[in-house]
Coordinates of all heavy atoms in Angstrom, one line a residue:
H252 N -12.8 157.3 5.9 CA -12.0 157.7 7.0 C -12.7 157.7 8.3 O -12.7 158.7 9.1 CB -11.3 159.0 6.7 CG -10.0 159.2 7.3 ND1 -9.6 160.1 8.2 CD2 -8.9 158.4 7.1 CE1 -8.3 159.9 8.5 NE2 -7.9 158.9 7.9
N255 N -15.4 160.8 10.2 CA -15.1 162.2 10.0 C -16.3 163.0 9.9 O -17.4 162.5 9.8 CB -14.2 162.2 8.7 CG -15.0 161.7 7.5 OD1 -15.7 162.4 6.9 ND2 -14.8 160.4 7.3
A256 N -16.2 164.3 9.9 CA -17.3 165.2 10.0 C -18.4 164.9 8.9 O -19.6 164.9 9.2 CB -16.8 166.7 9.9
P285 N -13.4 174.5 5.0 CA -11.9 174.5 4.9 C -11.2 173.7 6.1 O -10.1 173.3 6.0 CB -11.5 176.0 5.0 CG -12.7 176.6 5.6 CD -13.9 175.8 5.2
A286 N -12.0 173.4 7.2 CA -11.4 172.6 8.2 C -11.4 171.1 7.9 O -10.8 170.3 8.5 CB -12.1 172.8 9.5
H287 N -12.2 170.8 6.8 CA -12.4 169.4 6.4 C -11.9 169.2 5.0 O -10.8 169.6 4.7 CB -13.8 169.0 6.6 CG -14.2 167.6 6.5 ND1 -13.3 166.6 6.4 CD2 -15.4 167.0 6.4 CE1 -13.9 165.4 6.3 NE2 -15.2 165.7 6.3
G288 N -12.7 168.8 4.1 CA -12.3 168.5 2.7 C -11.9 169.8 1.9 O -11.2 169.7 0.9
A290 N -9.9 171.8 2.8 CA -8.5 172.2 3.1 C -7.6 172.1 1.9 O -6.6 172.8 1.8 CB -8.0 171.3 4.2
A314 N 0.8 181.3 12.1 CA 0.1 180.1 12.4 C 0.2 179.8 13.9 O -0.7 179.2 14.5 CB 0.6 178.9 11.7
K317 N -1.8 183.1 18.6 CA -3.1 182.8 19.1 C -4.1 183.9 18.6 O -5.3 183.7 18.5 CB -3.1 182.7 20.6 CG -2.6 181.4 21.2 CD -3.7 180.3 21.1 CE -3.2 178.9 21.0 NZ -3.2 178.5 19.6
R322 N -4.2 179.6 10.0 CA -3.7 178.3 10.3 C -2.9 177.7 9.1 O -3.2 178.1 7.9 CB -4.9 177.3 10.6 CG -5.4 177.6 12.0 CD -6.2 176.4 12.5 NE -6.4 176.5 13.9 CZ -7.1 175.6 14.6 NH1 -7.7 174.6 14.0 NH2 -7.2 175.7 15.9
L323 N -2.0 176.8 9.4 CA -1.2 176.2 8.3 C -2.1 175.1 7.7 O -2.3 174.0 8.2 CB 0.0 175.6 8.9 CG 1.3 175.7 8.0 CD1 1.5 177.1 7.5 CD2 2.5 175.4 8.9
M324 N -2.8 175.5 6.6 CA -3.7 174.5 6.0 C -3.0 173.3 5.5 O -1.9 173.4 5.0 CB -4.5 175.2 4.9 CG -5.3 176.4 5.3 SD -6.2 176.2 6.8 CE -7.7 175.4 6.2
G325 N -3.7 172.1 5.7 CA -3.0 170.9 5.3 C -2.2 170.3 6.5 O -1.6 169.2 6.3
F326 N -2.2 171.0 7.6 CA -1.4 170.5 8.8 C -2.4 170.2 9.9 O -3.4 170.9 10.1 CB -0.4 171.5 9.3 CG 0.9 171.4 8.6 CD1 1.1 171.9 7.3 CD2 2.0 170.7 9.2 CE1 2.3 171.8 6.7 CE2 3.2 170.6 8.6 CZ 3.4 171.1 7.3
G327 N -2.1 169.2 10.7 CA -3.0 168.9 11.9 C -4.1 168.0 11.5 O -4.5 167.9 10.4
H328 N -4.5 167.3 12.5 CA -5.6 166.3 12.3 C -6.2 165.9 13.7 O -5.5 165.8 14.7 CB -5.1 165.0 11.6 CG -6.2 164.2 11.0 ND1 -7.0 163.4 11.7 CD2 -6.7 164.2 9.8 CE1 -7.9 162.8 10.9 NE2 -7.7 163.3 9.7
R329 N -7.5 165.7 13.7 CA -8.2 165.4 15.0 C -7.6 164.0 15.5 O -7.4 163.8 16.7 CB -9.7 165.3 14.8 CG -10.5 164.7 16.0 CD -10.3 165.5 17.2 NE -10.8 166.9 17.0 CZ -12.0 167.3 17.0 NH1 -13.0 166.4 17.1 NH2 -12.4 168.5 16.9
K332 N -2.0 161.9 15.3 CA -0.9 162.7 16.0 C 0.4 162.2 15.6 O 1.4 162.2 16.4 CB -1.2 162.6 17.5 CG -2.6 163.1 18.0 CD -2.9 164.5 17.5 CE -4.3 164.9 17.7 NZ -4.7 166.1 17.0
D335 N -0.1 161.4 8.7 CA -1.2 160.8 8.1 C -0.7 159.9 7.0 O 0.0 160.3 6.1 CB -2.0 162.0 7.4 CG -3.3 161.5 6.7 OD1 -3.3 160.3 6.3 OD2 -4.2 162.3 6.5
R337 N -1.8 158.6 4.5 CA -2.2 159.0 3.1 C -1.3 160.1 2.6 O -0.9 160.1 1.4 CB -3.7 159.4 3.1 CG -4.6 158.4 3.7 CD -6.0 159.0 4.0 NE -5.9 160.0 5.0 CZ -6.9 160.8 5.4 NH1 -8.1 160.6 4.8 NH2 -6.8 161.7 6.3
Y375 N 6.6 174.4 18.1 CA 5.2 174.5 18.3 C 4.5 173.3 17.6 O 3.7 172.6 18.2 CB 4.7 175.8 17.7 CG 3.2 176.0 17.6 CD1 2.5 176.6 18.7 CD2 2.4 175.5 16.5 CE1 1.1 176.8 18.6 CE2 1.1 175.7 16.5 CZ 0.4 176.3 17.5 OH -1.0 176.5 17.5
F376 N 4.9 173.1 16.4 CA 4.2 172.0 15.6 C 4.6 170.6 16.2 O 3.7 169.7 16.2 CB 4.6 172.1 14.1 CG 3.9 173.3 13.4 CD1 4.5 174.5 13.5 CD2 2.7 173.1 12.8 CE1 3.9 175.6 12.9 CE2 2.1 174.2 12.2 CZ 2.6 175.4 12.3
K379 N 2.5 170.2 19.4 CA 1.1 170.0 19.2 C 0.9 168.8 18.2 O -0.3 168.6 17.8 CB 0.5 171.3 18.7 CG 0.4 172.4 19.8 CD -0.5 173.5 19.4 CE -0.4 174.6 20.5 NZ -0.9 174.1 21.8
L381 N 1.5 168.4 15.1 CA 0.8 168.8 13.8 C 1.6 168.4 12.6 O 2.7 168.9 12.4 CB 0.7 170.4 13.8 CG -0.1 170.9 15.0 CD1 -0.1 172.4 14.9 CD2 -1.6 170.4 14.9
N384 N -1.4 166.5 6.6 CA -2.5 165.5 6.4 C -2.7 165.3 4.9 O -2.0 165.8 4.1 CB -3.8 166.0 7.2 CG -4.2 167.4 6.6 OD1 -4.3 167.6 5.4 ND2 -4.4 168.3 7.6
V385 N -3.8 164.5 4.7 CA -4.0 164.1 3.3 C -4.2 165.3 2.3 O -3.9 165.2 1.1 CB -5.3 163.2 3.3 CG1 -6.6 164.0 3.6 CG2 -5.5 162.5 1.9
D386 N -4.6 166.4 2.9 CA -4.9 167.6 2.0 C -3.7 168.4 1.6 O -3.7 169.2 0.8 CB -5.9 168.5 2.6 CG -7.3 167.8 2.8 OD1 -7.8 167.4 1.8 OD2 -7.7 167.6 3.9
F407 N -12.3 165.3 -4.0 CA -12.4 164.6 -2.7 C -13.8 164.0 -2.5 O -13.9 162.9 -2.1 CB -12.1 165.7 -1.6 CG -11.8 165.1 -0.2 CD1 -11.0 165.8 0.7 CD2 -12.4 163.9 0.2 CE1 -10.7 165.3 2.0 CE2 -12.1 163.4 1.5 CZ -11.3 164.1 2.3
R411 N -14.9 160.2 -1.7 CA -15.6 160.0 -0.4 C -17.0 159.5 -0.5 O -17.5 158.9 0.5 CB -15.5 161.2 0.5 CG -15.9 161.1 1.9 CD -15.2 160.0 2.7 NE -13.8 160.0 2.7 CZ -13.1 160.7 3.6 NH1 -13.7 161.3 4.6 NH2 -11.8 160.6 3.6
Ligands
SDX516 C1 -9.6 166.3 6.7 O1 -11.6 163.8 10.4 C2 -11.1 163.3 9.3 O2 -10.8 162.1 9.2 C3 -10.9 164.4 8.2 C4 -10.1 163.9 7.0 C5 -10.9 162.8 6.3 O3 -10.3 162.0 5.5 O4 -12.2 162.8 6.3 O5 -8.9 163.3 7.4 C6 -9.9 165.0 6.0 O6 -10.5 167.0 7.0 C7 -8.1 166.6 7.1 C8 -8.0 167.9 7.9 C9 -7.9 169.0 6.8 N1 -8.0 170.3 7.6 C10 -6.9 171.1 7.6 O7 -5.8 170.9 7.1 C11 -7.2 172.5 8.2 C12 -6.0 172.9 9.2 N2 -6.1 172.0 10.3 C13 -6.9 172.4 11.4 O8 -7.9 173.3 11.3 C14 -7.1 171.3 12.5 O9 -5.9 170.7 12.7 C15 -8.1 170.3 12.3 C16 -9.5 170.9 12.1 C17 -7.8 169.4 11.2 C18 -8.2 169.4 13.6 O10 -8.7 170.3 14.6 P1 -8.8 169.8 16.1 O11 -8.6 168.3 16.2 O12 -10.1 170.3 16.6 O13 -7.6 170.4 16.8 P2 -7.6 171.9 17.3 O14 -8.2 172.8 16.3 O15 -8.2 171.9 18.7 O16 -6.0 172.2 17.4 C19 -5.3 171.7 18.5 C20 -4.2 172.8 18.7 C21 -4.8 174.2 18.8 O17 -3.9 174.9 19.6 P3 -4.4 175.2 21.2 O18 -5.8 175.7 21.2 O19 -4.3 173.8 21.8 O20 -3.3 176.1 21.7 O21 -3.4 172.8 17.5 C22 -3.5 174.1 16.9 C23 -4.7 174.7 17.3 O22 -4.6 176.2 17.3 N3 -3.6 173.8 15.4 C24 -3.0 174.5 14.4 C25 -3.3 173.8 13.3 N4 -4.1 172.8 13.5 C26 -4.3 172.8 14.9 N5 -2.1 175.5 14.5 C27 -1.7 176.0 13.3 N6 -2.0 175.4 12.1 C28 -2.8 174.3 12.0 N7 -3.1 173.7 10.9

Side-chain angles (χ1 to χ4, degrees):
H252 214 237
N255 59 86
H287 189 14
K317 282 280 153 261
R322 285 201 163 175
L323 219 48
M324 301 314 278
F326 273 79
H328 198 279
R329 170 64 57 78
K332 300 310 172 189
D335 180 337
R337 302 166 299 175
Y375 175 90
F376 286 86
K379 292 196 184 292
L381 300 174
N384 58 48
V385 68
D386 294 304
F407 193 151
R411 188 51 57 87

